[in-house]
Amino acid sequence: MKILVSADMEGATGVTWTADVVPGTEQWQRFRRLFTGDVNACVAGAVAGGATDVLVNEAHSAQRNLLLEDLDPRARLLTGRHKPLSMMQGVDSGVDGVVFLGYHAGAGQEGVLAHTYLENSITGVWLDGVPASEGRLNAALAREHGVPVLVVTGDDRACEDARRYAPDAELVAVKECVSRYAAVCAPPQVTAALITAATESALRRAGRGKTAVAPHRVEVEFDATHLAAAAAVVPTVDLVGPRRVGFDAASMTLAMQAFKVVTAIAAGAVEGIYG
């Protein structure tokens, strides 16, 4: 049984602040250890549930955050950029289930460090007309490959979001959102036990199903008109409002590839403190 862990950092145990997840800061160094602890708890649960191969895909920022030297030796780590499927690299390698670890609410929603891909330039993303977090986008990609979402961990708002896009998944709220930069946090000893138990239990649902390739529409709204104008230069991407672009794709894989291009161009168009 092969399990993929898509590991993001904003939803990890204790994380509440920008410096907690920005590479190079003192706080980031501290929370790398807590983040790795969450991953190890998940690996322990997966192995206890019958997994024989656990692939951990780093999914945060430059994707070089987890401490390999502290990783559970029963797992393998996919680290670094750039990956064709980004946060979901490995979902097409015959895995029997995926865990969304350390996930967060989407852009324009309440939640600790809530965003979708870009930290503060995107105000909303819609997949087929429905507000979409990174979790919803990645769950659609998993469905395309017939891979069930087994577990989602993050703050309570991330878990509420997951109930809508992965209703059968085990949910672990490692903290309760107070504001974008504040939360009531459980200590790592507590969250580790919760993550391990949820993952072990969820492994009963592991197993690939039928693939479900279908066309999708994605719309992205920015906080400034020039970002939308920059993204609309991409062929197939249309300006559908002053700050909003949209595009259609024949599959979720193609939709995510186009989304990566749109967000990369928009990020490159941000100019200093004026955005």
Side-chain angles (χ1 to χ4, degrees):
M1 185 187 298
K2 185 175 181 179
I3 300 300
L4 173 67
V5 180
S6 174
D8 205 356
M9 196 171 183
E10 287 89 355
T13 293
V15 167
T16 60
W17 189 248
T18 302
D20 297 348
V21 296
V22 173
T25 67
E26 182 179 350
Q27 282 294 94
W28 172 71
Q29 292 289 4
R30 174 193 174 201
F31 282 100
R32 294 177 75 188
R33 295 193 296 273
L34 272 67
F35 183 28
T36 304
D38 281 4
V39 168
N40 285 342
C42 178
V43 173
V47 172
T52 55
D53 186 354
V54 182
L55 176 63
V56 180
N57 177 28
E58 284 225 36
H60 174 68
S61 188
Q63 300 166 14
R64 297 179 183 275
N65 308 279
L66 290 168
L67 297 170
L68 179 61
E69 60 271 31
D70 293 338
L71 186 68
D72 189 314
R74 296 170 293 184
R76 298 179 296 137
L77 180 63
L78 173 54
T79 184
R81 303 168 70 184
H82 298 271
K83 308 164 189 164
L85 295 179
S86 191
M87 299 178 76
M88 292 295 284
Q89 188 67 34
V91 73
D92 56 350
S93 64
V95 297
D96 298 293
V98 61
V99 174
F100 292 171
L101 185 137
Y103 271 44
H104 50 82
Q109 306 299 315
E110 291 186 349
V112 176
L113 299 178
H115 69 282
T116 305
Y117 269 63
L118 302 185
E119 292 85 351
N120 58 13
S121 297
I122 291 177
T123 58
V125 177
W126 292 262
L127 176 63
D128 301 323
V130 178
S133 60
E134 292 170 9
R136 180 175 287 276
L137 295 172
N138 292 340
L141 187 57
R143 279 194 299 275
E144 182 162 285
H145 293 277
V147 177
V149 178
L150 301 176
V151 182
V152 180
T153 81
D155 72 355
D156 55 330
R157 304 306 173 89
C159 290
E160 289 174 12
D161 180 45
R163 286 191 182 95
R164 295 185 285 271
Y165 66 74
D168 296 326
E170 297 276 350
L171 307 176
V172 180
V174 301
K175 53 199 169 191
E176 298 175 20
C177 173
V178 174
S179 73
R180 182 171 176 81
Y181 301 117
V184 178
C185 301
Q189 298 92 329
V190 173
T191 60
L194 294 173
I195 292 169
T196 297
T199 306
E200 180 178 1
S201 175
L203 263 286
R204 293 176 295 182
R205 293 183 46 248
R208 290 188 301 279
K210 294 182 179 179
T211 59
V213 178
H216 295 278
R217 179 165 181 82
V218 176
E219 294 194 0
V220 184
E221 186 176 82
F222 299 97
D223 64 358
T225 58
H226 71 285
L227 302 184
V233 172
V234 179
T236 75
V237 176
D238 299 317
L239 195 63
V240 297
R243 296 181 290 107
R244 190 161 173 161
V245 298
F247 58 88
D248 298 296
S251 69
M252 196 59 205
T253 298
L254 292 174
M256 288 304 295
Q257 290 172 349
F259 181 65
K260 285 178 62 179
V261 173
V262 165
T263 55
I265 288 179
V270 174
E271 297 289 349
I273 62 174
Y274 285 92

